[in-house]
Amino acid sequence: MVAQRLSSSSSSRPSVLPTPNSAAAYSSSNRVPFNFNFLPHPIHPIRLCIGSTNHRRLSVSRLTASALPSIDSDDSAGASGKKPLLEVKDLKAVIAETGQEILKGVNLVVNEGEVHAIMGKNGSGKSTFSKVLVGHPHYEVTGGSVIFKGENLLDMEPEDRSLAGLFMSFQSPVEIPGVSNSDFLNMAYNARRRKLGLPELGPIEFYAYLFPKLELVNMKSDFLNRNVNEGFSGGERKRNEILQLAVLEADLSVLDEIDSGLDVDALQDVAKAVNGLLTPKKSVLMVTHYRRLLEFIKPAFVHIMEDGRIIKTGDIEIVSLLEKEGYKAMSTS
Ligand SMILES: Nc1ncnc2c1ncn2[C@@H]1O[C@H](COP(=O)(O)OP(=O)(O)OP(=O)(O)O)[C@@H](O)[C@H]1O
């Protein structure tokens, strides 16, 4: 995995922080200089004032997890009947710089509470599809529609997509020097709460909320005082990404190859954490090459992507066929 780093232009603390989506939007580039004050910006950083205080060093030992209300506490959806969360119709997208078409008409519906997996040969467009969903600036949508929670996703800026509850864990999570993990998570969480009209949490309340999430991903509290992903191993970055998703209580978590580079124990921890994110209303869309992940996070639907389209949808049985006969068994070309 390529280590990546977002470097701030000065050693002082930045005045704005990116949303997880927007920071991650640079994942396909290596060592991209990051200027937190530059707006507008292709990564659309969300304006979050950090203030001038020094980093807080919080001790987990003196806090206990409290039963703070979840931002997912709206249980208004009926238990019966599936509600669509994401509806993608004939989505077409090109590389913004060259105009080369990569997505050639993707159709997909993810209902609340469902786990979907997308598989496909290298270069078939899986990552591009994920990035287009979160509004990556390298791609331009040229056709089709995407409705997320009843709203036109394509009309939203990337940070609004994350505030609406769509988050992506990228193949190679970025570093953010000068910003501690706990500050980053607290800011991002409060931004989402503001969007939902909920009161912000102060650091102590937030820590009480955060502590059980740390346990969920089996991460030591030391990681909270470290700068976001700085010096983290590949597996630690992946866990940290899942921690972000857990904290932000994503309605739809898009996971791009979260299994790459993980040892067996880390894979199980990450899978357990992802399963812990699922509720009857929250869904996961994961891109993977391997059955191993799907044994831990069981998808209801497996989609096969080829040349920018979903050409086949089935259940886990499709993966057995794939392993036996390869992608040629389902190719349309
Ligand atoms: N920004 C870009 N510039 C040039 N080519 C791109 C860009 N983004 C995607 N592509 C090309 O689009 C195609 C689809 O890429 P994508 O990363 O979506 O595939 P993938 O299915 O995720 O592949 P893999 O399984 O190898 O991760 C590839 O041929 C890739 O080279």
Side-chain angles (χ1 to χ4, degrees), residues 95 102 121-128 138-139 171 257 289:
I95 297 168
I102 305 295
K121 276 165 102 157
N122 294 128
S124 55
K126 304 178 298 295
S127 293
T128 302
H138 284 172
Y139 306 96
Q171 280 186 35
E257 295 191 29
H289 284 289

Side-chain angles (χ1 to χ4, degrees), residues 11 36 47 49 73 98 131 144 220 231 238 246 249 261 269 295:
S11 57
F36 281 98
R47 292 168 187 267
C49 294
S73 55
T98 61
K131 290 182 198 166
K220 291 200 184 103
K238 293 285 164 86
E249 298 187 331
D269 282 346
E295 279 163 2

